Amino acid sequence: MSNPTKGYKVAFFLLTTCSLIAILTGFAKGNLLFLIAPFCILGALMAITQARSIYYLLWVSIPLSIDYSIGTFTLTLFSEPLMIALLAVLIGFFAVGKKANDRFMTHPLVVILGLQLIWMVCSIFYSVAPALSIKYFAAKLWFFAAFIFIPAFILQRIDDFRATFWALFASLSIVIAVCVARHAAGGFGFGEIGSAVGPFFANHVGFSTLCGLVIPFVWYASNWYYKHSLKNYWIHFGVLLFLVAIAISYTRTTWLSLPIALVAVWLLKKRLFPISLAVGVVAIIASLFYLSHNNKYLDFAPDYNKTFFNKGNFEKHLEATYKLEDVSGMERVYRWVAATNMIKAHPFTGTGTNTFYPEYKRYTITAFKTNISDNQEHSTTHNYFLMVFSEQGIIGFSLFVILYILLLWYAHKIYHRTQSVDIQRLTIATYFSLIVFLVHLMLGDMVESDKTGSVFLFCIALIIKLDIWSKESVNQKNLQESKVISSETD
């Protein structure tokens, strides 16, 4: 095994040499820009040694970050620059010989993630817009690095989760409190929620989704502190605040996801998860067959003149939903039909990652068109599974489905394997968050967002870590029992 200390010495020597060369070149060429190089190199070295601080700062920045456009390029400040920094840190770790837990890097979930990245590279060659697919792949690299692989180094034991939680929760609870207060000033109106959550969130859906993803971890943290401690009061207030935020967000998907997640947790505890998974898969396949047989889905085409958005009246908004006259619901169907047609046209390779928006209008059906189908927001499929299938073909789709099923399956195994209450509680919180996200993926595209996608990717890292910790706890218990038996026989 390589020696990390020796690796740091070699890296320091090389960086110092490069700095001296840069300084001498700067003076020789008369270009002072070369003098910036040593500071960049020093910053890179400091980043490697201060990865933990950058990592926690990233979590603090996520609720506060906003999108900033530079021409056609959009960057989320300040979360994405920190992700890029952590990608550089990860490369630095490998360069100096620092290793994560081998069981983490060889875990089946990491293997699936690696295959996903490989297929994303392959899809660039099949892409109808290679430049867009390359940008997508680059973003995936720093997302994966920041939220999956850096935690492999940071989270050495279950207590390390606390600092990650507080970095996000402290920042997020303040942002939510500000958004709720602004919404209250507008009388909690349905039409005012969008402006109340800006500029931190693009819309009320992202706002409520993040609340729904984080609230199970807030529940988990409520068991950490003494009853009358300040932190305990803050966390319990956070549970109430998050529930209020979800209630006033007017986001039907999040409202639906919470009770579904509660039922899913009950099924997991009763060891009914495998059966429920099988039933769910059969139900989805049967529904798809029913809708596709003799083009049955065309019977659900909306009346263009009756689909509308009741911005000022939520009761009418709900009424339009179950009458299939809600414009946002029908616009989803419009995109789903287009995605299905894209899949039929490119079943094996897809059109390439990040290409749904520029391609989908060629595959739409006029019967499902709504009065917002011009899509000025440049939004995508509103169903992540369909988007992956249409962009990455059957291979990319299969890898993502396998990843999600394995995540839920491992949560089931971990919960019933360990007797550690702490591991069980964190497993339940992670599983709850994954179910909430799964419901949202059926009706939206949340993985690519820094606010919601970050929590999802971190859940992957958590499941892997929990799997490792639970096995270690079982091994320790077995070792202790064997020592007791050995001492008794002696």
Side-chain angles (χ1 to χ4, degrees):
M1 183 181 291
S2 57
N3 186 344
T5 303
K6 183 179 179 181
Y8 280 119
K9 289 180 179 178
V10 172
F12 182 77
F13 172 76
L14 291 174
L15 292 174
T16 303
T17 303
C18 290
S19 297
L20 290 173
I21 293 172
I23 291 171
L24 293 174
T25 305
F27 281 115
K29 297 286 187 180
N31 190 342
L32 297 180
L33 287 177
F34 279 92
L35 300 180
I36 299 174
F39 296 99
C40 295
I41 293 168
L42 179 62
L45 185 60
M46 289 179 64
I48 294 174
T49 58
Q50 299 297 322
R52 188 176 291 266
S53 299
I54 299 173
Y55 171 74
Y56 293 139
L57 182 60
L58 169 61
W59 281 111
V60 171
S61 73
I62 285 172
L64 300 166
S65 294
I66 59 174
D67 290 338
Y68 184 77
S69 297
I70 306 171
T72 58
F73 183 73
T74 301
L75 194 67
T76 306
L77 299 177
F78 291 91
S79 60
E80 276 200 276
L82 291 170
M83 292 181 215
I84 296 169
L86 286 173
L87 173 60
V89 167
L90 185 66
I91 295 170
F93 280 168
F94 293 139
V96 300
K98 188 172 182 178
K99 289 188 175 181
N101 190 312
D102 288 338
R103 282 174 292 179
F104 188 101
M105 301 306 292
T106 58
H107 196 278
L109 289 172
V110 173
V111 173
I112 295 294
L113 291 169
L115 291 174
Q116 281 187 315
L117 289 174
I118 291 171
W119 181 245
M120 287 175 198
V121 173
C122 295
S123 72
I124 292 172
F125 297 98
Y126 297 105
S127 177
V128 297
L132 293 177
S133 297
I134 291 171
K135 285 168 64 177
Y136 179 90
F137 176 72
K140 277 295 180 185
L141 286 180
W142 58 69
F143 266 79
F144 277 26
F147 300 112
I148 296 177
F149 294 108
I150 288 295
F153 295 89
I154 302 296
L155 302 180
Q156 296 302 318
R157 50 201 181 97
I158 198 166
D159 285 344
D160 291 332
F161 172 77
R162 293 194 182 194
T164 302
F165 167 80
W166 275 108
L168 174 62
F169 175 69
S171 176
L172 180 58
S173 59
I174 293 171
V175 169
I176 290 175
V178 170
C179 293
V180 170
R182 291 168 64 187
H183 197 196
F188 293 116
F190 178 41
E192 285 72 36
I193 181 63
S195 59
V197 301
F200 307 113
F201 298 89
N203 51 52
H204 66 105
V205 177
F207 171 73
S208 66
T209 304
L210 185 56
C211 291
L213 292 175
V214 176
I215 198 169
F217 296 110
V218 183
W219 162 83
Y220 166 69
S222 65
N223 299 287
W224 287 346
Y225 303 104
Y226 293 114
K227 186 175 181 180
H228 298 294
S229 65
L230 180 60
K231 286 183 178 179
N232 187 64
Y233 284 132
W234 189 354
I235 289 172
H236 280 84
F237 173 73
V239 173
L240 178 62
L241 179 65
F242 280 47
L243 288 174
V244 169
I246 291 170
I248 65 171
S249 69
Y250 300 105
T251 306
R252 296 159 293 178
T253 308
T254 308
W255 291 357
L256 180 66
S257 69
L258 296 182
I260 289 176
L262 287 172
V263 172
V265 167
W266 180 82
L267 291 169
L268 180 142
K269 289 183 176 182
K270 296 296 182 181
R271 297 180 182 269
L272 297 173
F273 167 74
I275 296 173
S276 60
L277 176 63
V279 171
V281 171
V282 170
I284 291 172
I285 293 173
S287 299
L288 292 174
F289 178 79
Y290 170 76
L291 291 171
S292 61
H293 184 64
N294 294 328
N295 293 327
K296 181 69 176 178
Y297 71 94
L298 290 173
D299 294 344
F300 298 93
D303 184 340
Y304 182 90
N305 296 316
K306 288 186 177 181
T307 51
F308 46 82
F309 179 55
N310 294 283
K311 186 174 182 180
N313 191 320
F314 189 68
E315 290 182 4
K316 288 186 177 180
H317 189 53
L318 288 177
E319 181 183 348
T321 301
Y322 69 77
K323 287 184 176 180
L324 301 181
E325 294 176 353
D326 167 46
V327 69
S328 62
M330 288 299 98
E331 180 62 22
R332 280 181 168 85
V333 178
Y334 180 68
R335 311 275 180 88
W336 297 346
V337 171
T340 303
N341 290 333
M342 289 173 71
I343 292 167
K344 290 178 181 177
H346 307 275
F348 299 108
T349 62
T351 58
T353 53
N354 205 22
T355 60
F356 179 83
Y357 172 73
E359 280 293 297
Y360 83 96
K361 288 189 177 180
R362 296 171 48 202
Y363 298 90
T364 57
I365 292 179
T366 308
F368 287 89
K369 189 174 182 180
T370 70
N371 55 17
I372 60 169
S373 292
D374 56 343
N375 193 8
Q376 295 180 0
E377 295 180 351
H378 292 197
S379 56
T380 54
T381 328
H382 291 303
N383 181 303
Y384 192 75
F385 293 93
L386 281 176
M387 188 176 81
V388 171
F389 207 152
S390 63
E391 291 187 344
Q392 299 182 43
I394 186 66
I395 295 177
F397 172 77
S398 299
L399 287 172
F400 186 75
V401 170
I402 291 169
L403 173 70
Y404 224 108
I405 291 174
L406 282 178
L407 283 169
L408 301 179
W409 175 253
Y410 271 108
H412 177 266
K413 285 180 62 178
I414 294 163
Y415 180 82
H416 292 290
R417 174 198 298 145
T418 185
Q419 293 183 357
S420 167
V421 175
D422 211 20
I423 291 177
Q424 284 185 330
R425 285 174 176 169
L426 184 52
T427 301
I428 288 296
T430 308
Y431 180 77
F432 192 107
S433 189
L434 286 169
I435 295 296
V436 168
F437 200 63
L438 178 61
V439 175
H440 282 85
L441 290 185
M442 297 292 186
L443 298 168
D445 314 317
M446 300 288 183
V447 176
E448 324 309 343
S449 165
D450 71 310
K451 297 187 190 299
T452 53
S454 58
V455 179
F456 167 63
L457 295 178
F458 182 64
C459 284
I460 298 175
L462 269 181
I463 289 292
I464 298 171
K465 280 293 185 178
L466 285 164
D467 189 36
I468 295 169
W469 292 331
S470 65
K471 288 177 180 176
E472 290 174 349
S473 69
V474 170
N475 291 338
Q476 277 186 338
K477 183 176 181 293
N478 292 338
L479 181 62
Q480 289 172 354
E481 288 177 352
S482 66
K483 285 182 178 179
V484 171
I485 293 171
S486 177
S487 64
E488 288 175 350
T489 55
D490 291 342

